Amino acid sequence: MKIDKSLLTEPALTQLPEKVLQFGTGVLLRGLCDYFIDKANKEGIFNGRIVVVKSTDSGGADTFAEQDNLYTICVRGIDKGAPKEENIISSAISRVLSAQSQWSDILATAKDPAIEIVISNTTEVGLQYVEESILQTPPASFPAKLTAWLYERFQAGLPGAVIVPTELIVGNGDKLKEIVLQLCAFNQLPEDFIEWLNTENRFCNSLVDRIVPGKPKGEKLKELFDKLGYEDDLLTIAEVYRLWAIEGDDKVKDVLSFYEADPGVKIEKNIEQYRELKLRMLNGTHTLMCGMAYLSGFETVKEALADELMEKFITILMTTEIVPAIPYKIEPKVCQRYGREVLDRFRNPYLEHQWISITLQYTMKMRMRNIPLLLNYYKEFNTIPQYFARGFAAYLLFMKAIKEENGKYYGQKDGELYLIQCDSAAYFYKLWQKNATEQLVNKVLSNKALWGSDLTKLRGFAENVTTHLSNMQMIGVKEVVSALNVYA
């Protein structure tokens, strides 16, 4: 049988009023943000549900409808040294609306005074300024959709909202507000609306930290369904660890009252420490390792951590090159504790966190998460970060597409093709076709449009990356990792 309302222990939760508008249907939102709201509802704290906006019509919304907008969060991991398994049927979502075919319904939610919260996760690519009319049905970009929704709310004479983007961009709330104001100027929206935007709305910087790899496959999924007693096309696995840090004051706390249900939601005046730890030590390590681990033959994060050589590489990369280069003053003990937590999370035996999935938008992640570390490492030590250089070389090799088909680019590993899901795939495809290794490395590193800096100016870095990349092509990626033992 499929998941339905008869499985709920508290059916009344499906009748709670709508209080949140959410842009995005992804597993991170469902496994973290919506998890907190569902938990608060079950404790009688928040008492509100979520209207979800899906940006395309390419499936997905029907699945929610077929399951009465219910889905299962399977929490799996180590909690205080002991294994933990928990299966939660979330009833936090009230409905899923398609922006393409139900835009008028989405705009209508702006006139509901109960909806005071907007959250989003549209990946790092989603928070970019696109010069467009907000009167389109719908506008193309997420910021333009949000601007249209806020303008509709303003015209309805309602108070503003608390807006919490969760995209992994430094100052994501500030960035989103900046883009919205740019769109106001382009669309020549009235001054009183702009004043309302600035005074009535709170754009909160936030960060999210939970590994949510999604639905398992094959036999493992069947075993889960058998154990649950039903099938769930929206089921997602999530680790025990959870953090949603939000920058805000008492007014924000009043609106986001769900924070009271779980210590994983932290609303504070400054969240910089949480952001730097997560962005650099967890995300940064992931980004530097995903190409290397995948090309070394490891499919999942836990497989790599089970390998003594890879575990050693990852540990030394994190503790000796990433931590000292974090561009924010954090107590060493805090970094050490967080580092241990990250490694334990990577080892989580319950999670099938695919390295290939971490390569999504590889170039943008490298720029946002790791290049500031590289620049700061040189500023502090003026020498080559050896582990970082190998991770960067593996990134370049992963981006070597050997085939283009219908606008999609494919690399090759052990004779099998893999899809390169990165906006820079076409750029690298052309570079690899026309350049030898040394030329390619120098052209990539000197590309200020990619990195914001000319990385060939960093003493010895280009030569080091070239050597590792050449060796990876000749003897293999894992073999290059093995050769680093001398530095350990």
Side-chain angles (χ1 to χ4, degrees), residues 50-91:
I50 305 161
V51 183
V52 175
V53 177
K54 191 174 186 304
S55 61
T56 68
D57 268 336
S58 58
D62 290 345
T63 305
F64 282 91
E66 288 166 6
Q67 298 188 176
D68 295 316
N69 298 302
L70 305 174
Y71 64 94
T72 311
I73 304 169
C74 297
V75 178
R76 300 288 187 272
I78 309 298
D79 187 21
K80 297 176 183 176
K84 179 174 181 176
E85 294 188 16
E86 184 181 12
N87 303 315
I88 302 160
I89 297 179
S90 174
S91 56

Side-chain angles (χ1 to χ4, degrees), residues 60-130:
D62 290 345
T63 305
F64 282 91
E66 288 166 6
Q67 298 188 176
D68 295 316
N69 298 302
L70 305 174
Y71 64 94
T72 311
I73 304 169
C74 297
V75 178
R76 300 288 187 272
I78 309 298
D79 187 21
K80 297 176 183 176
K84 179 174 181 176
E85 294 188 16
E86 184 181 12
N87 303 315
I88 302 160
I89 297 179
S90 174
S91 56
I93 294 174
S94 60
R95 51 186 170 142
V96 177
L97 300 176
S98 165
Q100 297 301 317
S101 58
Q102 297 172 289
W103 183 238
S104 61
D105 293 333
I106 293 165
L107 285 181
T109 65
K111 300 175 183 177
D112 184 347
I115 296 181
E116 297 181 282
I117 303 166
V118 179
I119 60 179
S120 70
N121 191 291
T122 55
T123 77
E124 287 93 330
V125 177
L127 288 194
Q128 292 188 17
Y129 175 60
V130 177

